[in-house]
């Protein structure tokens, strides 16, 4: 896993240079938004179950996934979907705190598309649910932090597509 600080330092290290202005500006931006990130993570942790529930209500509840024969039909599969959404929310929050998406590649996206395809989990519906989580989360944490979280929700969606 990488974060905004190690990313900038590794980049300079590869070139054998001190941090240049662009690198220092990136770090400054990260430090300036530190409190915002921690505050957002606190709000998300305290409301995770509600975020997932509201996102499901907005996106999947009356979709083909929940109908008989759909991929979420039966409580076991419904629960698996809710659990997946909670994984996405938790790992997007980690990535937002780190200011870097690498944890999503390593822990979430690695092999996920193949798993979903082999189990018939519909990617389109999953992306819709993640986009709904993005909206619900932004409503909770506010515009700036919501935008930052949005980067990592979108990252998961493009990794699945
Ligand atoms: C921490 C990283 C991590 C992820 C991301 C993860 C995902 C993941 N989701 C799975 C299943 C599943 N995922 C879903 C999800 C959905 N079906 C829908 O129609 C909806 C659109 C969607 C929810 C948004 C469902 C229903 C299953 C069970 C499928 C089945 O067994 O038939 C499986 C197969 C094994 C299992 O059932 O547990 C994995 C590995 N596991 C992990 O360890």
């Amino acid at each position: 896993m990488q974060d905004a600080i190690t990313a900038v330092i590794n980049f300079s290290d590869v070139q054998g240079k001190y941090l240049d202005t662009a690198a220092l500006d990136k770090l400054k931006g990260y430090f300036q938004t530190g409190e915002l990130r921690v505050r957002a993570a606190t709000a998300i942790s305290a409301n995770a179950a509600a975020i997932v529930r509201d996102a499901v209500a907005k996106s999947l509840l009356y979709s083909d996934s929940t109908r008989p024969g759909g991929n979420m039909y039966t409580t076991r599969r419904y629960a698996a979907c809710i659990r997946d959404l909670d994984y996405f929310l938790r790992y997007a929050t980690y990535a937002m705190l780190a200011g870097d998406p690498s944890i999503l590649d390593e822990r979430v996206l690695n092999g996920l598309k193949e798993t979903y395809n082999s189990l018939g989990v519909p990617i389109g519906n999953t992306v819709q649910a993640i986009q709904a989580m993005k909206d619900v989360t932004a409503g909770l944490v506010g515009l700036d932090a919501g935008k930052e979280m949005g980067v990592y929700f979108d990252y998961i969606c493009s990794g699945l597509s």
Side-chain angles (χ1 to χ4, degrees), residues 109-119 123 160:
L109 291 169
N110 187 7
L112 185 61
K113 193 174 165 184
E114 294 72 17
T115 305
Y116 273 8
N117 284 335
S118 72
L119 289 170
I123 305 265
L160 278 173

Side-chain angles (χ1 to χ4, degrees), residues 1 89-100 103 107 149:
M1 180 202 145
L89 178 61
R90 182 159 56 88
Y91 280 98
T93 306
Y94 293 158
M96 179 275 297
L97 279 171
D100 190 280
I103 194 167
R107 309 272 169 82
M149 276 299 286

Side-chain angles (χ1 to χ4, degrees), residues 60 65 70-72 76-78 80-85 87-88 90-91 107-108 112 115-116 119-122 125-126 129:
L60 296 171
S65 272
N71 191 259
M72 285 171 80
R76 181 188 69 77
R77 288 204 297 259
Y78 192 98
C81 176
I82 300 290
R83 179 210 57 198
D84 286 7
L85 290 175
Y87 285 151
F88 298 145
R90 182 159 56 88
Y91 280 98
R107 309 272 169 82
V108 178
L112 185 61
T115 305
Y116 273 8
L119 289 170
V121 175
N125 288 3
T126 305

Side-chain angles (χ1 to χ4, degrees), residues 1 8 13 18 34 42 61 75 105 115 132 138 146 148 153-154 161:
M1 180 202 145
V8 163
D13 185 31
Y18 284 93
T42 308
L61 213 45
T75 38
D105 290 324
T115 305
E148 190 60 23
F153 285 130
D154 287 344
S161 305

